[in-house]
Amino acid sequence: MSPPTPAPPSRGGPGARRPLRRVDETSAGGLVLDRLGPAARGALIGRLDRRGRLLWSLPKGHVEPGESERETAVREVAEETGISGRVVGKLGTIDFWFVAEGRRVHKTVHHYLLLASDPERGLELSDADVEVSEVAWVPVAELAARLAYADERRLLEKVPDLLERSA
């Protein structure tokens, strides 16, 4: 006599997992430059990950009701870096999935290139936003090496073309 075949896992019984609720989220942000030209620097934010590592990225945040993606980018860059800017052009869109708080989240982030709107008023960075651990001006040539995420590094490829078109 052969051993009994184990029963397939039951759905809905003890220990069964409920499917995660899917949620779509939209954010916007971008790269703000302090000036045009070869000496330009971009503002990056640093956040601590779960392991306590400082990861550098572009500032971004949720699109609020009634707000356009461009408006969100300007607001979030100012909130997270302390620098007000004007949009020069769109760098691109990144989308990804993650699980948080029992939800499967599909996040879409729209990134823009901004130029500091009033450099004479000062370019002092601020990390007052509670979500930001550090803020730094980084020379444009060093931005890709500092960014933690490959998809954000790819967005930098559009910077020279956007600057040329805005000149």
Side-chain angles (χ1 to χ4, degrees):
M1 180 175 208
S2 63
T5 305
S10 65
R11 295 180 182 253
R17 293 185 188 166
R18 279 187 253 171
L20 297 175
R21 184 170 60 100
R22 178 190 158 155
V23 177
D24 291 309
E25 292 183 0
T26 304
S27 291
L31 174 66
V32 61
L33 299 178
D34 64 345
R35 69 191 76 156
L36 297 175
R41 301 174 300 167
L44 298 183
I45 61 168
R47 294 183 177 160
L48 295 175
D49 72 0
R50 291 184 189 129
R51 295 184 218 161
R53 296 177 300 175
L54 186 65
L55 301 178
W56 292 96
S57 65
L58 299 174
K60 60 193 150 296
H62 291 283
V63 175
E64 300 294 336
E67 191 176 50
S68 73
E69 295 159 2
R70 291 170 74 98
E71 291 167 332
T72 300
V74 169
R75 177 181 55 77
E76 285 292 336
V77 166
E79 286 177 6
E80 294 189 353
T81 68
I83 304 299
S84 296
R86 65 172 175 79
V87 172
V88 173
K90 188 159 185 179
L91 288 171
T93 302
I94 296 171
D95 77 308
F96 53 95
W97 293 88
F98 63 94
V99 174
E101 301 169 357
R103 305 173 308 151
R104 186 167 186 251
V105 180
H106 178 234
K107 185 155 195 157
T108 304
V109 185
H110 303 276
H111 289 86
Y112 293 85
L113 178 64
L114 294 87
L115 182 61
S117 55
D118 192 4
E120 288 79 36
R121 213 179 73 195
L123 295 169
E124 187 173 333
L125 295 169
S126 169
D127 63 358
D129 190 297
V130 296
E131 297 176 6
V132 176
S133 300
E134 288 188 40
V135 183
W137 283 116
V138 178
V140 169
E142 298 172 22
L143 287 170
R146 182 81 65 100
L147 286 169
Y149 305 107
D151 50 4
E152 289 188 352
R153 289 191 295 271
R154 280 191 291 276
L155 293 175
L156 297 180
E157 295 170 6
K158 292 188 177 182
V159 170
D161 185 50
L162 287 173
L163 290 175
E164 186 177 304
R165 282 193 269 154
S166 72

